[in-house]
Amino acid sequence: MDDSSDIKAPDKIRRLLAGYEPPHGVADELLRLDGSLRPVWAPLIRHLAGLSPEARARSFARGDQYLRDTGVYYRQYTGPDSTERSWPFSHIPVMIDSGEWQTLAEGIAQRAELLERVMADLYGPGTLVRDGYLPADLVAQNPEWLRPIVGIRPKSEHFLHFIAFEIGRSPDGSWFVLGDRTQAPSGAGFALENRMATGRVFHDLFPNANIERLAGFFRGFRDAVNGLREEDGGRVAILTPGQHTDTYYEHAYIARYLGFMLLECEDLKEVNGKLTVSTINGPEPVSVLWRRLDSRFADPLELDETSALGTPGMVAALRGQAMTMVNCLGSGVLEARALMAFLPRISEALMGAPLKLPNIATWWCGQRNERDYVLNNLSRMMIGPALSTKLPFDIDATTALGGKFRGEAHIPIADWLEQEGNALVGQEAVTLSTTPAMIDGQLVPRPMVVRVFAARTPQGWTVMPGGYARIGRTDDPTALAMQSGGSVADVWIVGGRPVLHDTLTAQDRGPYLRRTPGHLPARAADNLYWLGRYVERAETGVRELRAYHLRLEEYGRDTVPLVVTLEGFLDSFGFDPDEAFPATLLGLFDASRGCASKVRDRFSTDGWNALTDLARTGREMAPRLRHGDDAARAMSVLLRKLAGFSGLVHDNMFRFDGWRFLTLGRALERAEQIAAVLSVFADPAAPSGGFDVAVEVGDSVMTHRRRYSVESSRDTLIDLLALDRDNPRSIRFQLDVLREEEERLSREMNAPQMSDVAKRILRLQTALSIAEPVHITTKRLRSIRREIAGISEALSSRYLS
């Protein structure tokens, strides 16, 4: 790689780096100690220096736009509340030479195998405690050491399959481990999204920059996990705590990317010692479960009885080797800070070799010599809870740094160590290296820690060639977390040779085999069904509100019978006529988005963005609308956005079971809503202009004018909106859709006879097929609404319970 770009040479580079001054005594990723540019950074810095500030801003905006378009977010917590926040993207990647990375990867793979052996011992023979390599207290008192897991032998013969490590660079330039993440490590999906965004920012540099690709790592892990499945077709699933966890987006993204099922604990049930998932076709076995929630919440029967997230019997299924778990329950015990004090010696015992990649120096204060050492070196110590899983720079009121408590005054530190030494560790105060970050248009050095990932494959541990780096917004190394305002950057592993383009799908040289999608989980089907209902309910509500505001503009709010009837009708559906933009309508938008958020792994990004845009537009409009023409025009805008969502779903969504439930929901809701409109505005006693309202809400004005060369009459109205099988707004049309989609579902279940759902649909469909407009009285319309509700209940009972 070209090493000619000394910062003293080109003027553009000198201007770019003006003011870039790493703190004294701190290693920097960009600059050597003599102030020269590290060779691995040269192409990127030359590229940045060649861009004007405006061009640089445009490049950065491309990455930001990508993240917005794909809906990447994390959840930020403030007390008991949480909000979705945009992904805090740091545009400048961290550059690491491939030769240096190879050495790092060897150390990471060794450490992963060491942690596997430690866990196998802690839940097996217990020789590390018996032979004095680990204090018994540190194991027995750790809440993450789960006694019910003792003696369990994993079906795969391994406890760990996917691990993350936090690593940093010390002032002398060497790397060390700050923390092990074995519980349910997050971030691999975010690393992928960071890579996609960074590729947009540096679209003209990235393809030829010799950067190692990430797809091969994920392909190897996916194939390894699929290889753990049962031969009888058991499923692979990712187990998430749900949409309110801070990394739910990543769970859904990885599930979609790797083709795994995304489940919550309520989807699972232990049956005869096996773990099954409730699908629309009944229970199906789960062979491999990639756990993304903490172990102690996984099974309220044997672990934490207060857990509302767990599945009773999960431990029993694990004990009976009925499935493989990634990672095994109880793996959080390996994350305790205190374990780092003993890993160097344990490595010698279990691996027969010292750690290739050392961890941060750690002393457990339950031993006299170590406690005295910590006390005599307080100025360079961080003292905190021994069993904490936080990183050394994530300090809070329970820690002391440099001989001073971070929170309120405590007893003297010497007394604290003496009284509570068994529960404390001392760790060398972290001095993190810095890396370039573009803040307020200026390239500045900021503290950094890198998260890297290791996955088990049949060939052994493989390390992702990259990861992501957490970057501080300020010089404070204790404020790297996203919850504290930190940002996240891509990590480029740069080699000296061109890198082949790689994708998740390797070339298959075997015979072609068409694979059918697995059955849909009942919870996912339920959310798609209600997504269809809420969207349709919102669309009909918008049409009704537009009709109301147009009449207000024409007649005013005096006691005009049609306006009064419209107000009463809206009120009966929860729309407050006194609000130009009723809160109920915003609630429907939010309910639609809420259902979609629970099936992000099965829902298109464009569809999600359309719903998000709809909800955002509604909230922006609501406070400033006035009754009448202003609100009517706003409803027209919302109708266009709803039509955009419907078009995306209709044209782009694969016709699998999920699409069928979305369609069933929309058809049932539309039939029910049209019946409701007709029961009021097609009633013989309806006020003048009621027929026009019904045709307008039914979006059939032009069709009605073309088909009937007379004025609107009740018969023409009923014929078009209730009985016409070719009108996509009619009740009859919806019943045809319902029967067709339900028949497809029944065929997939190989049902021997017609279901109650099908019988109910057929009865109503037949009745409307032979009916004349005169037969569809107001009383009959109300009866039709009840029958539609009965179809919905039967459908829920058959497929969604």
Side-chain angles (χ1 to χ4, degrees), residues 47 51 59 62 199-208:
H47 174 80
L51 298 175
S59 295
R62 280 196 297 269
R200 298 293 199 280
V201 173
F202 300 104
H203 65 96
D204 46 356
L205 173 68
F206 182 88
N208 300 311

Side-chain angles (χ1 to χ4, degrees), residues 525-796:
D526 186 59
N527 280 292
L528 287 165
Y529 171 74
W530 280 102
L531 170 60
R533 295 207 67 160
Y534 286 139
V535 168
E536 184 61 34
R537 194 174 298 176
E539 181 180 332
T540 305
V542 168
R543 293 185 183 280
E544 291 164 353
L545 285 164
R546 184 173 66 173
Y548 169 63
H549 285 293
L550 287 173
R551 271 73 188 174
L552 277 184
E553 185 70 19
E554 183 176 357
Y555 303 121
R557 297 199 70 174
D558 293 331
T559 56
V560 176
L562 180 59
V563 173
V564 172
T565 301
L566 271 165
E567 288 181 342
F569 182 79
L570 290 171
D571 187 62
S572 69
F573 279 91
F575 296 103
D576 186 350
D578 290 331
E579 298 176 346
F581 198 119
T584 305
L585 184 59
L586 291 177
L588 287 173
F589 294 162
D590 289 340
S592 302
R593 192 171 180 270
C595 288
S597 71
K598 296 175 184 177
V599 287
R600 285 293 300 273
D601 60 313
R602 298 174 178 272
F603 205 66
S604 76
T605 298
D606 288 335
W608 171 258
N609 287 338
L611 283 179
T612 300
D613 180 52
L614 177 67
R616 182 176 57 246
T617 302
R619 295 203 175 277
E620 290 172 353
M621 286 179 169
R624 53 185 173 80
L625 286 186
R626 297 184 303 275
H627 285 77
D629 182 64
D630 187 41
R633 285 187 286 110
M635 295 304 119
S636 295
V637 171
L638 294 176
L639 276 177
R640 289 193 291 271
K641 290 183 178 292
L642 282 160
F645 169 79
S646 299
L648 285 168
V649 169
H650 183 78
D651 290 342
N652 300 336
M653 197 169 178
F654 186 78
R655 266 42 173 182
F656 74 126
D657 288 342
W659 181 85
R660 303 196 194 293
F661 279 94
L662 185 68
T663 302
L664 287 167
R666 293 204 71 173
L668 272 168
E669 187 66 35
R670 181 171 291 183
E672 200 277 337
Q673 292 287 343
I674 290 297
V677 168
L678 291 175
S679 68
V680 173
F681 296 100
D683 186 81
S688 175
F691 292 173
D692 292 334
V693 169
V695 175
E696 188 177 319
V697 172
D699 195 25
S700 300
V701 174
M702 292 177 60
T703 304
H704 188 272
R705 287 174 181 169
R706 284 199 303 269
R707 290 190 57 179
Y708 306 104
S709 57
V710 295
E711 278 188 24
S712 299
S713 69
R714 189 177 189 282
D715 285 348
T716 63
L717 204 60
I718 296 296
D719 184 55
L720 183 60
L721 291 178
L723 305 179
D724 194 324
R725 66 180 306 171
D726 294 321
N727 182 6
R729 293 279 168 179
S730 77
I731 300 173
R732 169 68 194 282
F733 186 95
Q734 311 316 314
L735 290 166
D736 290 348
V737 170
L738 289 170
R739 185 176 180 187
E740 178 181 354
E741 298 306 333
E742 203 282 332
E743 282 182 348
R744 289 177 179 269
L745 290 172
S746 292
R747 284 200 300 270
E748 292 176 7
M749 292 182 69
N750 296 316
Q753 58 186 7
M754 183 176 287
S755 68
D756 183 45
V757 185
K759 291 175 182 177
R760 287 172 179 267
I761 295 172
L762 181 59
R763 279 197 291 266
L764 184 53
Q765 183 188 36
T766 302
L768 293 186
S769 298
I770 62 176
E772 297 293 335
V774 69
H775 301 141
I776 309 301
T777 63
T778 298
K779 182 179 179 180
R780 179 64 180 124
L781 286 166
R782 291 171 182 156
S783 172
I784 287 172
R785 291 186 65 188
R786 291 193 295 272
E787 291 176 58
I788 291 169
I791 294 171
S792 177
E793 292 171 2
L795 188 145
S796 296

